[in-house]
Every structure is written in structure tokens, then in C-alpha cells.
Amino acid sequence: VLPETYAPDLPILLDGERVARTNASGVAHFVTYGAPGTEYVVEIETRALSRLLPRSPTRLIALPDADEIFVINQAFELEKKPRRRGPRRARITKIE
């Protein structure tokens, strides 16, 4: 796995609906409103980048009784490409 990285231009989903995209620095902002205790699932959709780990991470947030700023700090790693193996050489183990 390659070093920790950020991910630009990823869709941010709120209960499955796209509400934002990450910018060139991997940051996204959005606003939502709801009654206190309302729960939302926030997902960073990574399907377009199959080597990005973790794959489409999600967080459950619940709205408090007052205005609140939620920060989701998600680091990503790039999965290594599988190595191609060439044909195996024949090995002689014993000659009599």
C-alpha cells in the first residue's frame, strides 16, 4: 500500500444524494438542516477510483439540539497494482 494521500474530485453523498465534491485539496463543504436527533449517512464515494482504500467510507452523524459543524477527516491510501509474474523457470532438484 502506498503512502497516505488525499482524494480530489470525489462525490460526497448525504443519504445517497450527492451534495458536494472534494476540491483539489480533498476538502468538501455542504450544509443540511433537520430536526434535532435526525441521523444522516455521509459517504465519500470512491467507486471511480478502484485502487483507493478504504472503499467508499461512510459515517453516521446525528444532528444535535444546536448548530454544529461536523468534520470528517478521512485519509486514503492507494492499493498497490498486482505484480505480473513471468513464467516460472524449471528447477532441477536432484540428478542421479
Side-chain angles (χ1 to χ4, degrees), residues 3-36:
E4 188 175 294
T5 185
Y6 61 87
D9 202 34
L10 292 178
I12 306 299
L13 307 177
L14 184 67
D15 285 345
E17 182 180 332
R18 190 170 85 186
V19 293
R21 290 187 85 79
T22 57
N23 64 17
S25 298
V27 176
H29 303 272
F30 67 91
V31 176
T32 190
Y33 299 96

Side-chain angles (χ1 to χ4, degrees), residues 33-86:
Y33 299 96
T38 303
E39 292 183 337
Y40 292 104
V41 175
V42 179
E43 177 182 355
I44 304 171
E45 186 181 310
T46 62
R47 284 178 262 216
L49 300 171
S50 61
R51 292 181 47 221
L52 207 57
L53 296 174
R55 291 185 172 85
S56 295
T58 60
R59 298 285 190 280
L60 178 65
I61 60 169
L63 298 183
D65 293 337
D67 291 344
E68 182 74 31
I69 295 175
F70 293 93
V71 176
I72 297 174
N73 186 5
Q74 178 66 58
F76 291 97
E77 295 179 349
L78 289 175
E79 186 177 46
K80 286 184 182 178
K81 289 183 180 180
R83 292 186 348 190
R84 288 183 51 185
R85 293 187 178 189

Side-chain angles (χ1 to χ4, degrees), residues 91-96:
R91 284 198 311 188
I92 300 173
T93 54
K94 185 175 181 182
I95 299 177
E96 289 189 41

